[in-house]
Amino acid sequence: MPQPSAPRRTTGRPPRISREQVLETARRIVDEDGVDRLTMRRLASEIGSTPMALYHHVSNKEELLVLLLDDYAARTLRRPRMPDRPRERVVLAAATIHEVLAACPWIVPVLTADDLMAASALWFVEQIVDGLVQCGLTPERAVHGYRAIWYYTAGEIVVRTTAARRRADDDRPTYRERVFADLDPSETPRLAQVADHWAPLTAEDTYMEGLRALVDGLLATR
C-alpha cells in the first residue's frame, strides 16, 4: 500500500526587514570592525536576509554610508547657542564638529572622501562659512577657510585615532621612538633636546589652541 507523501516544505519569502534594522546592523558592524568590513553581503547575512532585500532600502554601500552619517548626526549633533561675535561662532561650530566626530572616529575616513556629507551637519558648515564672511572674507575665501578648518579637524582626529590604535595593538617601540633614541645632536639639535618627552608632548590635546590660531591666521588675510 503506497505511503502518503510527506508535505512539501516551502521556503517562502525571506522575512521583511526595516530601514531601521538595516541601519542598526550596519552601525554595529562599523563600530566593531570598521567601515572596510561593511559589505552588503555581510549586512544581509547578519540580518538574516538576502542582498537583494537590502536594495529595497539602499541602492549601494555609498548610499548606506550617507544614511549612517545622517543617522549619527541627527542623534548626536546638537546646535549650541551661538555667540554674537562671528569669530567665536566659527570656533564653536568647528569645536562641536570635532567633539562629535572624535567620539565616533570611523566616520572621519568616510567624510574625507569629500562627496559624502551628512545633511544634518550643514548647519554647522553654514555657521563657519557665514562667520568667516562676517569677519570680512569674501564668500569664496570663506569656503577656502572652511576647507582649511575641516582638513585640520579631520586630520587631527585621524592621526590621534591611528596612533592610539597602534599603541593598543602593539606595545613594541615605534619606528619614531627607535629613530629618536639615536638622534645626532649635531645634526638635529632641537629634536634631540625634546626627544625624551616628544611622545607626551605630541599626545597633549591642543586642538582648540590650534583651531584658534588657524582661524586667526585665516582672518589675517582680510
Side-chain angles (χ1 to χ4, degrees), residues 45-219:
S45 174
E46 298 209 7
I47 291 177
S49 185
T50 64
M52 287 302 298
L54 295 180
Y55 295 121
H56 292 293
H57 301 285
V58 291
S59 58
N60 50 44
K61 180 178 177 179
E62 182 172 288
E63 183 181 348
L64 176 60
L65 291 175
V66 170
L67 290 174
L68 281 176
L69 291 174
D70 279 331
D71 174 67
Y72 182 75
R75 289 186 296 105
T76 58
L77 273 177
R78 298 292 178 265
R79 298 181 181 183
R81 181 181 179 87
M82 283 294 172
D84 294 331
R85 294 181 59 195
R87 175 191 177 277
E88 295 308 314
R89 291 208 310 271
V90 172
V91 171
L92 180 55
T96 303
I97 292 174
H98 178 270
E99 180 181 2
V100 171
L101 296 183
C104 194
W106 69 263
I107 286 181
V108 177
V110 176
L111 290 174
T112 52
D114 208 38
D115 292 330
L116 301 180
M117 179 179 292
S120 305
L122 290 179
W123 183 84
F124 293 87
V125 179
E126 169 72 16
Q127 299 305 308
I128 294 173
V129 174
D130 180 67
L132 293 174
V133 171
Q134 293 295 324
C135 285
L137 298 187
T138 66
E140 293 76 16
R141 296 286 294 178
V143 172
H144 295 164
Y146 162 73
R147 182 179 61 182
I149 292 171
W150 166 240
Y151 286 178
Y152 168 63
T153 299
E156 197 273 348
I157 294 173
V158 169
V159 171
R160 188 176 295 276
T161 301
T162 303
R165 185 182 302 116
R166 162 67 173 81
R167 290 191 297 269
D169 294 342
D170 192 345
D171 58 359
R172 293 176 300 176
T174 64
Y175 176 74
R176 190 262 307 155
E177 289 170 338
R178 295 196 299 270
V179 170
F180 271 44
D182 294 326
L183 286 178
D184 182 356
S186 64
E187 181 72 20
T188 53
R190 292 302 183 192
L191 292 182
Q193 182 182 14
V194 297
D196 290 342
H197 46 290
W198 182 274
L201 282 174
T202 55
E204 292 179 5
D205 184 359
T206 58
Y207 172 77
M208 291 301 299
E209 179 182 344
L211 174 62
R212 292 190 178 96
L214 174 56
V215 172
D216 288 342
L218 292 170
L219 299 182

